[in-house]
Amino acid sequence: MNDINPYKVKWILPIMVAKKDIDEVKEAVSGDVEVVKPVKKKVVKEDKGPQLIDLPGVGPGAVAKLEAAGIYELMGLAVLTPSALSDMAGMSESVARKAIQASRKMMDMGFVSGLEHEEKRKELFNITTGSKNVDNLLGGKGIQTKAITEAFGAFGSGKTQLALSLAVGVQLPLDQGGANGKAVYIDTEGTFRPERVRQFAEGIGANADKVLKNILVARAFNSDHQMLLLDRVAELIKEGEPIRLMIIDSLTAHFRAEFSGRGMLADRQQRLNRYLHNLMRIAEQNNLAVYVTNQVMSDPAQMFGDPTKAIGGNIVGHACTYRMYLRRGKKDSRVCKLIDSPDLPDNETVFMIETDGLRDIDV
Ligand code: GTP
Ligand code: MG
């Protein structure tokens, strides 16, 4: 399985809607809180600037070849080398070179001033975690688009519960802490629980069926599959799905299981690195938030303090914009600690996992 070229595999892997028989029960439960309106494919389309078809000298035939190779936007094309593109898309190197050059020219891949950068950051959305304490820890409004937020911690520390809460939160309107969008949930461990989503939705007075309908769930069966699903997400976005949140629960479990032993560590890290880069690219290009969960292991070399360490080492640490360490606290609470943030102080807070959602307690 390991030598599958993710760019050449034709799409056979399903993303399924969390609740299939939604129409029959659509109006069975009605809530007052408005969640993102279901959109028909291709209806909601943001202006994402120039597309592949706008490139001079690239016709519909070439675009079809590029898309079949998993390249949907100019950035995806601009970062390739002619030989890699020629291999991936089955075109000659000279055609590939022309296409790459044209995309680089059109993309304006240069520097921007700090002021322009600041302006661009205003496009960002935030997504509430459901807990004001955790939102505040993350700068006031929860997790951010165009960034990867990682939650690592032992089993039962609340990583998945936070993921489910975010999958509900993203659907809220902007003025209620959401991003008015849908969530994609890539489940590597089979722990996505529609019943929990239902409880969280009802906890904020939203229509649970509608909320479930806006979460697109896919089970990833191994690390190759997990990688391929990212291309599927890119396709969904291109088809017009208003996806604002992508959850990978767990980021590392498959990689860890498949590449065990010292001899495979370098290979594992390289693949993880590639995966994280792809995640970041999708997040930046589509202005969506990525939330990943990660396990911990005990570090025998650590003599003092907490010996737990996140899996994946520096590769994951550097690729994730925000890192949260979750652990059980007093009286069944959860302690959430922010680590090494680029723009926020290291700090920690406390919350509770309740049946109908995450709840704050005084810190
Ligand atoms: P792993 O995936 O095993 O690494 O752990 P995780 O960090 O993802 O754990 P998860 O987020 O699934 O948290 C599980 C914990 O959430 C349970 O031990 C419970 O304490 C709590 N929990 C889950 N469901 C409920 C519920 O319906 N009500 C309440 N009160 N707590 C719940
Ligand atoms: Mg979990």
Side-chain angles (χ1 to χ4, degrees):
M1 225 17 214
N2 288 347
D3 48 12
I4 282 185
N5 177 345
Y7 299 101
K8 284 201 170 155
V9 174
K10 193 79 197 148
W11 271 103
I12 46 167
L13 303 162
I15 281 224
M16 56 186 183
V17 170
K19 183 114 179 67
K20 261 181 18 212
D21 52 348
I22 196 87
D23 288 337
E24 292 163 28
V25 281
K26 211 175 194 170
E27 299 309 326
V29 190
S30 66
D32 296 319
V33 173
E34 229 358 68
V35 293
V36 60
K37 300 250 181 339
V39 273
K40 290 204 176 70
K41 285 183 175 182
K42 302 219 182 232
V43 173
V44 175
K45 273 224 147 179
E46 283 174 43
D47 179 14
K48 291 199 183 131
Q51 303 292 310
L52 292 175
I53 193 70
D54 304 323
L55 288 173
V58 175
V63 170
K65 274 189 181 175
L66 291 169
E67 292 193 344
I71 301 158
Y72 297 103
E73 352 60 1
L74 295 185
M75 178 58 98
L77 184 57
V79 296
L80 292 171
T81 60
S83 63
L85 178 59
S86 146
D87 269 1
M88 285 159 62
M91 46 176 68
S92 75
E93 267 199 46
S94 71
V95 173
R97 181 171 294 108
K98 273 186 204 142
I100 291 168
Q101 278 166 353
S103 69
R104 288 182 183 170
K105 208 165 171 184
M106 193 171 265
M107 271 197 58
D108 185 16
M109 305 229 300
F111 291 93
V112 296
S113 71
L115 210 58
E116 283 171 279
H117 192 74
E118 183 179 62
E119 203 49 44
K120 268 195 154 320
R121 285 186 60 82
K122 290 192 184 141
E123 297 166 5
L124 300 183
F125 293 99
N126 285 92
I127 300 165
T128 177
T129 60
S131 150
K132 201 72 209 131
N133 282 353
V134 180
D135 288 356
N136 286 339
L137 188 74
L138 290 164
K141 298 185 197 154
I143 69 166
Q144 215 174 60
T145 56
K146 297 198 181 184
I148 304 179
T149 304
E150 175 202 11
F152 67 93
F155 62 88
S157 57
K159 305 179 294 290
T160 298
Q161 304 302 310
L162 207 53
L164 297 171
S165 185
L166 284 164
V168 177
V170 67
Q171 303 182 33
L172 291 167
L174 303 191
D175 59 2
Q176 290 178 42
N180 198 32
K182 293 189 181 187
V184 162
Y185 200 110
I186 297 181
D187 181 9
T188 70
E189 306 188 300
T191 52
F192 177 81
R193 291 285 174 277
E195 319 81 88
R196 285 297 281 146
V197 172
R198 207 166 260 292
Q199 289 167 336
F200 283 17
E202 284 161 6
I204 57 164
N207 180 319
D209 288 331
K210 285 185 188 166
V211 168
L212 275 169
K213 197 176 179 189
N214 290 327
I215 305 175
L216 310 172
V217 186
R219 178 80 202 269
F221 292 99
N222 55 40
S223 65
D224 284 320
H225 189 183
Q226 191 178 328
M227 289 205 179
L228 288 168
L229 283 167
L230 290 194
D231 291 5
R232 183 71 188 110
V233 173
E235 275 178 9
L236 285 171
I237 293 168
K238 193 172 156 55
E239 285 164 13
E241 290 286 6
I243 295 166
R244 287 276 172 242
L245 171 65
M246 184 156 60
I247 292 163
I248 323 287
D249 185 18
S250 122
L251 169 72
T252 47
H254 281 318
F255 291 93
R256 191 185 187 193
E258 290 164 30
F259 299 86
S260 57
R262 289 225 158 256
M264 299 182 90
L265 194 64
D267 202 11
R268 181 188 85 180
Q269 291 302 83
Q270 203 183 347
R271 277 164 176 265
L272 250 180
N273 195 21
R274 177 144 54 95
Y275 186 69
L276 284 157
H277 270 91
N278 287 345
L279 277 179
M280 195 64 210
R281 184 168 48 87
I282 294 185
E284 289 205 330
Q285 283 172 359
N286 303 292
N287 195 12
L288 56 85
V290 175
Y291 171 85
V292 302
T293 68
N294 192 5
Q295 272 78 23
V296 287
M297 59 181 181
S298 189
D299 178 8
Q302 176 94 18
M303 304 255 273
F304 302 102
D306 190 344
T308 29
K309 251 177 59 173
I311 305 292
N314 290 339
I315 297 259
V316 177
H318 288 152
C320 295
T321 330
Y322 300 98
R323 306 195 87 184
M324 295 185 287
Y325 174 37
L326 293 179
R327 63 186 161 84
R328 282 178 188 268
K330 285 182 203 146
K331 295 193 186 144
D332 223 21
S333 65
R334 298 300 192 280
V335 181
C336 179
K337 182 174 185 182
L338 189 71
I339 293 168
D340 294 339
S341 150
D343 52 359
L344 298 166
D346 282 10
N347 207 347
E348 65 177 36
T349 192
V350 189
F351 67 96
M352 301 289 289
I353 301 168
E354 305 284 3
T355 301
D356 61 351
L358 308 186
R359 290 286 162 268
D360 289 324
I361 48 174
D362 289 338
V363 196

